[in-house]
Amino acid sequence: QVQLVESGGDMVQPGGSLRLSCAASGFTFSSYNMSWVRQAPGKGHEWISGINTDGSSTYYSDSVKGRFTISRDNAKNTLYLQMDNLKFDDTGAYYCARVGWRRHRDEHDYWGPGTQVTVSS
């Protein structure tokens, strides 16, 4: 029932920009904190950004801080990730994920299938 579907991934040149979207359905989107997680080729999952329920608080890993911006539109049940000044190391699969409720807040209980971002010259 819960579904998260990412879109917007593409191949871009270093220094370029992309905006990823995540369409959510099957739950009350505005009641959940959300995250973006990525996986570089041959690497493990790396949490890169999070946002609280109304979008008033945002969080970033050191790897993307200052370059990426997370946001959400609760009226559209959509999560966004604006990515600027992309670098080769940003290449990978990008996933949106739902943060668990209450005692499960340290977990991501639902994930989208991912969208591919490739930064190449």
Side-chain angles (χ1 to χ4, degrees), residues 20-118:
L20 306 183
S21 298
C22 172
S25 61
F27 67 101
T28 304
F29 179 68
S30 61
S31 295
Y32 287 85
N33 301 327
M34 300 293 295
S35 292
W36 285 98
V37 180
R38 70 183 181 185
Q39 185 174 33
K43 303 292 185 179
H45 291 99
E46 178 192 13
W47 176 91
I48 57 171
S49 190
I51 190 167
N52 72 340
T53 54
D54 67 1
S56 61
S57 296
T58 58
Y59 311 90
Y60 302 93
S61 69
D62 290 341
S63 297
V64 308
K65 194 174 302 178
R67 299 187 299 119
F68 291 9
T69 304
I70 190 172
S71 62
R72 66 194 296 162
D73 187 338
N74 286 342
K76 295 182 177 180
N77 288 346
T78 303
L79 177 73
Y80 301 99
L81 185 68
Q82 177 66 44
M83 305 186 295
D84 297 320
N85 191 23
L86 285 160
K87 305 179 182 299
F88 291 119
D89 288 349
D90 294 320
T91 292
Y94 283 70
Y95 304 89
C96 63
R98 193 180 81 170
V99 178
W101 186 62
R102 287 178 64 88
R103 73 181 188 276
H104 303 289
R105 64 190 177 276
D106 294 334
E107 306 171 2
H108 291 109
D109 55 4
Y110 288 93
W111 297 64
T115 187
Q116 179 66 34
V117 172
T118 301

